Amino acid sequence: MSLASFSSSTWGPIEKAILSALVHDWADKGRILDELKASDFFLPETQKLYTHLASEIESGRPIDTASLLATCADSVTRNIIIDVTGTTPSTASQIDRHIEKLKELSRIRSITRAIEEAKHKLEHGEPSIEIATGLETAMREVETDSPSQALTIAECADKALEGVKAAIDRGCVYAGIPSGLDKLDKTCGGWQAGQLIGLAARTGEGKTALALQFALHAVRNRWNKETKQWDEKGHCVVMVELEMSARELGHRSMSHLGGPPMWKMRDGSAMNDFDKANLAEARGKLEGLPFFVDDPPRIRLSELRARARRWKKRIGMELLIVDLLGKVSPDTREKDRYREVAIVSHGLKALAKELSIPVIAVCQLNRDSVGDGEAGLHHLRESGDIEQDVDVAILLTKKEDDTRKLRIAKNRNGFLGSVDLQFDGDHQKFKEFFMEAK
């Protein structure tokens, strides 16, 4: 179906009835203005007239035929005004039906336009992935323009109670996906649906290793309500790895789960029979885990969001980890890097809310954060918007060769604090420890 099929004879009667209600003394004009936007109207002239009427109504100015005609010079719009003002307004129930019908036709028009644009791009040899991403983006825009799903405050409270009941059922203070670090979980409540979590550190201080550890713990631990214990079949996790290859993550994962040290896997000649047995055992532990790695050389924000929606639908993704936020490209080139990172940060927060999953974004700290070893939110590289968008910000700083401090610098729904960690670089593993008071 082409756009040509949506003629004025198809859209005219509905548009005329709605505009008539705005021109005449109809009681609930605000409902029309709240539900419709100018682009929902098909004809450019009716779009222009609706915009003018909305402005007049919102400013409290009276509307009459003479004043409307005085504002319009073209004959088409003048004829529409005369036709509309001479039409008897519909009843409230009829207007409700007209609004829904007009919105439905508007959505159909948007879908048709997106399909025709995709067909045009396909005929001109544009990359299929870009065409598919554009189509998916257009479909999402249509979906988000559907009737509002606003909740009452009582329904919001019921959603909150789900988390409270889950924590009570576990017998602990958190109900989110566990990180594996007890103090961090007790402080932050686990990784919660809809949250954007920022994990930041300077280069070479273990941020990817910690993100991988979070993933490996999540996929091997899920609370079983029936047995009241943690099951080894855990949560479905996807890690988008832009810093290193899937091969490197494979090395790190096996070493983390009891395999040989990293350096021995790089230098196979140093491995003995004991190391080889540990390597085989570590590989076996990874079998069947719901842990997926995507390591593209580059990725745009729209492409990442499209993939995430597919992962959510097809494999039931429950946690998304993006390493590294600064390497995700916005869809439009901006004048400065600060703005580009801000767009990506906003997009990841929106994605977390849309899919109702936690998203962990691995970030870079500025080099000037070294100082006394304590990093702050202002050290996040390239954009202060990351600080605003994240619900939880955890900053990893190096204290000595094998010790790190994990500082919870922001926690929108809980306490701040810090966790002392010991880092085993050979096996890419962090472990909590308690420093003795001096």
Side-chain angles (χ1 to χ4, degrees), residues 50 52 100 107 126 152 217 255 293 299 429:
Y50 178 80
H52 177 73
E100 292 306 318
R107 289 191 286 267
E126 294 195 21
T152 67
H217 187 81
S255 185
V293 175
I299 194 168
K429 182 181 296 187

Side-chain angles (χ1 to χ4, degrees), residues 246-260:
R247 180 191 182 98
E248 290 175 288
L249 282 185
H251 277 144
R252 291 184 174 217
S253 298
M254 289 187 290
S255 185
H256 181 91
L257 293 179

Side-chain angles (χ1 to χ4, degrees), residues 21-138:
L22 293 177
V23 168
H24 292 91
D25 191 22
W26 196 67
D28 197 7
K29 295 180 180 181
R31 161 145 165 67
I32 296 176
L33 301 184
D34 288 341
E35 292 285 342
L36 297 175
K37 54 186 183 294
S39 59
D40 288 328
F41 291 80
F42 180 66
L43 300 176
E45 293 81 8
T46 51
Q47 291 179 4
K48 180 180 177 181
L49 179 57
Y50 178 80
T51 300
H52 177 73
L53 289 173
S55 176
E56 295 295 291
I57 292 169
E58 289 174 351
S59 64
R61 289 188 288 269
I63 297 173
D64 58 74
T65 305
S67 64
L68 287 175
L69 290 173
T71 63
C72 300
D74 63 284
S75 59
V76 175
T77 305
R78 291 174 68 87
N79 288 334
I80 290 175
I81 291 171
I82 293 171
D83 199 7
V84 166
T85 54
T87 301
T88 304
S90 302
T91 64
S93 60
Q94 289 174 327
I95 288 294
D96 286 343
R97 289 196 295 271
H98 291 331
I99 289 173
E100 292 306 318
K101 181 63 175 177
L102 187 61
K103 287 174 71 68
E104 175 63 12
L105 289 172
S106 177
R107 289 191 286 267
I108 292 173
R109 180 180 64 175
S110 297
I111 293 171
T112 305
R113 181 186 294 112
I115 293 172
E116 291 186 350
E117 288 178 357
K119 182 181 177 182
H120 176 77
K121 291 178 180 179
L122 195 62
E123 290 172 348
H124 286 76
E126 294 195 21
S128 59
I129 292 297
E130 291 188 9
I131 296 172
T133 300
L135 268 174
E136 189 162 9
T137 300

Side-chain angles (χ1 to χ4, degrees), residues 151-185:
L151 304 175
T152 67
I153 191 62
E155 290 171 323
C156 294
D158 288 340
K159 285 185 171 292
L161 283 174
E162 292 175 6
V164 175
K165 290 176 180 177
I168 293 172
D169 179 62
R170 290 185 186 180
C172 60
V173 295
Y174 66 94
I177 297 175
S179 71
L181 300 177
D182 186 60
K183 188 175 180 181
L184 179 61
D185 285 332

Side-chain angles (χ1 to χ4, degrees), residues 22 289 363:
L22 293 177
L289 293 181
C363 314

Side-chain angles (χ1 to χ4, degrees), residues 218-433:
V219 297
R220 301 173 73 227
N221 288 274
R222 180 190 292 273
W223 183 254
N224 188 316
K225 294 180 181 179
E226 296 180 359
T227 63
K228 306 293 184 182
Q229 292 179 340
W230 292 97
D231 282 348
E232 289 189 2
K233 186 178 181 180
H235 302 268
C236 181
V237 178
V238 176
M239 190 167 183
V240 178
E241 184 52 61
L242 299 166
E243 278 278 270
M244 59 184 64
S245 68
R247 180 191 182 98
E248 290 175 288
L249 282 185
H251 277 144
R252 291 184 174 217
S253 298
M254 289 187 290
S255 185
H256 181 91
L257 293 179
M262 291 286 294
W263 67 269
K264 281 194 174 183
M265 282 194 280
R266 286 192 294 267
D267 180 10
S269 62
M271 290 179 60
N272 55 35
D273 291 341
F274 181 73
D275 293 323
K276 293 175 184 177
N278 285 341
L279 183 61
E281 184 178 351
R283 170 59 183 86
K285 291 178 181 178
L286 292 169
E287 190 66 40
L289 293 181
F291 185 11
F292 302 85
V293 175
D294 188 5
D295 65 336
R298 65 187 66 85
I299 194 168
R300 290 181 292 110
L301 177 62
S302 61
E303 188 177 358
L304 173 59
R305 296 182 68 170
R307 292 186 189 188
R309 294 181 190 113
R310 289 194 290 270
W311 291 328
K312 171 75 172 180
K313 183 177 181 180
R314 295 175 184 175
I315 62 176
M317 177 180 64
E318 297 170 272
L319 171 64
L320 173 64
I321 301 175
V322 180
D323 181 26
L324 184 75
L325 180 146
K327 291 198 172 183
V328 179
S329 304
D331 295 297
T332 56
R333 185 173 293 278
E334 299 294 324
K335 293 181 179 179
D336 57 80
R337 180 61 179 162
Y338 185 100
R339 179 59 186 156
E340 289 186 339
V341 174
I343 291 172
V344 173
S345 175
H346 299 333
L348 291 181
K349 174 57 184 173
L351 182 65
K353 291 190 67 176
E354 175 191 332
L355 300 184
S356 191
I357 63 168
V359 174
I360 298 177
V362 181
C363 314
Q364 191 83 4
L365 287 177
N366 290 321
R367 290 191 176 276
D368 64 2
S369 64
V370 62
D372 61 357
E374 292 291 338
L377 290 173
H378 60 286
H379 289 123
L380 287 167
R381 181 177 289 183
E382 298 174 319
S383 179
D385 286 59
I386 299 174
E387 175 186 348
Q388 301 299 322
D389 291 331
V390 297
D391 299 281
V392 177
I394 48 180
L395 311 180
L396 184 68
T397 52
K398 185 176 181 179
K399 304 299 289 183
E400 297 177 5
D401 287 344
D402 63 346
T403 60
R404 305 286 190 273
K405 181 177 284 293
L406 188 65
R407 181 176 166 226
I408 304 160
K410 179 181 178 182
N411 187 3
R412 202 185 296 277
N413 299 311
F415 301 104
L416 305 181
S418 62
V419 184
D420 292 310
L421 301 174
Q422 190 159 15
F423 181 50
D424 177 1
D426 284 344
H427 293 88
Q428 297 292 294
K429 182 181 296 187
F430 289 88
K431 185 168 62 174
E432 285 182 85
F433 78 100

